[in-house]
């Protein structure tokens, strides 16, 4: 409550100091202290946290996550996109409403008539493929260049079967919309534990196995965070974490003048404002798309 308040006594000073402690510059701290819209405040907090290194893994975690990522088929010298498909227990809880809405939109009125109890993978691809015709590789539009999509999912077998029904491209790739060559990459981990921290506990699972599963989950998180485009469901805590680490402070943002400043009162900057367009949002969110619908906005932090 204190963090989002800007009306209480010393509230702006506290906000300024908090931003500085997270590594913000004087100007960034000024922007944060003068931001009043709650969702923007939390976006700014997310961007500061993402850049500050506040959430830092222990050295051995970094080592093992790096080794796991190197063991995947994900090419590390070219850009990649990512899609998170969460099924499992979410199909009965958080994702159920979306599943029902999807099949209703396909003309199925009764739930007992639904062909599947989940949303097909092709629906996720629809949100990704709109970018394909605009894709530019090294400054030259090239539809024949292979695109890489990393899939983080707890249902890899079903998704692989769905992909096998899509038209095949050259060199073992897949044709998706306007993209003639798409290469899907899955985690090399055999278990369906993508993006799930293992709860473990006495009698549940061996500690070594639990550690390995958690390393795999963190590796997935890093791959999704660093991707060019991320298509996610945002019905789990992992989606929230990915969103936080895909926020960036907008270095081109210019704070609006105080309405009671001398410049405003005497109209000294009216010409500048007309000639120079000001960036409206102090935080940029790297390309995120909601998996279930084109008309949904990216949810705010902490939703």
């Amino acid at each position: 409550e204190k963090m989002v308040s800007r009306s209480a006594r010393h509230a702006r000073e506290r906000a300024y100091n908090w931003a500085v402690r997270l590594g913000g510059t004087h100007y960034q701290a000024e922007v944060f202290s003068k931001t009043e819209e709650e969702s923007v405040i939390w976006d700014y907090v997310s961007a500061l946290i993402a850049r500050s290194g506040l959430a830092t893994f222990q050295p051995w975690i970094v080592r093992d996550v790096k080794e796991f990522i190197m063991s995947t088929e994900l090419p590390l010298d070219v850009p990649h996109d990512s899609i998170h498909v969460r099924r499992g227990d979410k199909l009965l809880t958080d994702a159920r409403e979306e599943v029902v809405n999807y099949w209703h939109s396909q003309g199925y009125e009764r739930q007992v008539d639904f062909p599947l109890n989940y949303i097909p993978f092709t629906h996720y691809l629809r949100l990704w493929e709109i970018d394909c015709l605009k894709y530019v590789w090294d400054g030259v539009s090239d539809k024949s260049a292979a695109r890489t999509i990393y899939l983080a999912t707890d249902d890899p077998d079903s998704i692989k079967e769905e992909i096998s029904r899509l038209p095949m491209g050259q060199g073992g790739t897949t044709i998706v919309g306007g993209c003639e060559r798409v290469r899907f990459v899955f985690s090399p981990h055999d278990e369906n534990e993508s993006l799930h921290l293992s709860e473990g506990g006495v009698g549940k699972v061996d500690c070594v196995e639990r550690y390995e599963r958690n390393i795999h989950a963190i590796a997935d998180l890093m791959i999704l965070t660093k991707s060019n485009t991320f298509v996610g469901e945002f019905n789990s805590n992992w989606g929230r974490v990915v969103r936080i680490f895909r926020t960036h402070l907008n270095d081109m943002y210019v704070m609006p003048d105080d309405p009671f400043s001398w410049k405003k009162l005497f109209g000294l900057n009216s010409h500048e404002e007309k000639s120079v367009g000001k960036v409206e949002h102090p935080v940029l969110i790297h390309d995120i798309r909601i998996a279930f619908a084109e008309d949904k906005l990216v949810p705010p932090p902490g939703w």
Side-chain angles (χ1 to χ4, degrees):
E1 184 178 346
K2 289 183 178 181
M3 185 51 58
V4 298
S5 172
R6 293 294 183 269
S7 59
R9 187 182 181 186
H10 304 307
R12 294 186 185 277
E13 180 182 354
R14 284 198 299 267
Y16 177 93
N17 292 334
W18 196 89
V20 169
R21 287 195 294 272
L22 272 180
T25 64
H26 166 71
Y27 187 77
Q28 291 164 350
E30 283 282 338
V31 172
F32 182 66
S33 68
K34 294 179 180 179
T35 300
E36 298 183 351
E37 186 177 343
E38 184 170 335
S39 62
V40 180
I41 289 174
W42 286 116
D43 270 339
Y44 214 88
V45 170
S46 298
L48 285 170
I49 291 175
R51 195 192 62 173
S52 68
L54 181 65
T56 302
F57 297 114
Q58 296 288 356
W60 58 89
I61 300 291
V62 175
R63 177 200 64 205
D64 293 343
V65 167
K66 180 179 178 180
E67 288 181 0
F68 182 78
I69 293 176
M70 295 292 291
S71 72
T72 70
E73 296 180 358
L74 183 70
L76 302 179
D77 56 344
V78 295
H80 72 277
D81 300 322
S82 62
I83 300 178
H84 178 209
V85 182
R86 177 75 185 273
R87 290 175 178 170
D89 59 311
K90 291 293 181 180
L91 294 175
L92 300 177
T93 55
D94 302 55
R96 185 58 189 171
E97 181 181 355
E98 300 292 351
V99 173
V100 172
N101 290 339
Y102 172 80
W103 287 113
H104 281 170
S105 72
Q106 302 301 304
Y108 295 91
E109 296 183 0
R110 301 191 308 164
Q111 296 191 29
V112 293
D113 295 329
F114 291 174
L116 301 167
N117 71 333
Y118 54 81
I119 297 176
F121 180 59
T122 51
H123 187 68
Y124 294 72
L125 288 176
R126 284 180 58 244
L127 290 138
W128 174 83
E129 68 187 42
I130 58 176
D131 180 58
C132 199
L133 293 177
K134 299 182 295 182
Y135 183 60
V136 176
W137 186 274
D138 288 339
V140 179
S141 179
D142 186 1
K143 290 200 303 179
S144 65
R147 300 285 301 273
T148 300
I149 300 179
Y150 184 85
L151 285 166
T153 179
D154 57 356
D155 191 20
D157 293 337
S158 295
I159 293 179
K160 288 177 182 179
E161 197 276 330
E162 292 179 70
I163 292 174
S164 70
R165 296 198 294 267
L166 297 174
M168 299 301 296
Q170 299 177 354
T173 58
T174 304
I175 299 174
V176 179
C179 282
E180 298 178 1
R181 298 178 62 200
V182 177
R183 178 173 290 106
F184 293 101
V185 176
F186 289 82
S187 168
H189 189 39
D190 293 332
E191 299 291 336
N192 298 344
E193 294 291 336
S194 178
L195 278 180
H196 295 143
L197 286 178
S198 178
E199 295 179 358
V202 178
K204 288 187 176 181
V205 67
D206 178 81
C207 289
V208 174
E209 182 182 351
R210 180 174 59 178
Y211 177 80
E212 289 179 352
R213 289 184 178 183
N214 291 343
I215 290 296
H216 302 159
I218 295 170
D220 275 350
L221 175 66
M222 294 296 100
I223 292 172
L224 268 56
T225 298
K226 300 298 183 182
S227 62
N228 274 8
T229 295
F230 170 64
V231 180
E233 300 178 355
F234 297 97
N235 57 20
S236 69
N237 291 328
W238 281 110
R240 295 174 171 90
V241 175
V242 171
R243 187 201 186 286
I244 287 175
F245 286 100
R246 289 180 71 85
T247 56
H248 305 274
L249 296 178
N250 188 351
D251 293 331
M252 300 300 293
Y253 176 75
V254 178
M255 281 189 295
D257 288 327
D258 189 319
F260 298 103
S261 68
W262 288 108
K263 285 187 176 183
K264 282 286 186 180
L265 290 174
F266 291 100
L268 297 178
N269 61 346
S270 58
H271 175 71
E272 293 179 6
E273 291 184 352
K274 291 179 181 179
S275 60
V276 180
K278 291 188 176 181
V279 181
E280 296 182 356
H281 206 286
V283 179
L284 300 176
I285 302 176
H286 203 44
D287 190 10
I288 293 178
R289 303 175 191 180
I290 307 299
F292 295 135
E294 295 92 333
D295 59 348
K296 288 190 175 182
L297 298 175
V298 176
W303 79 98

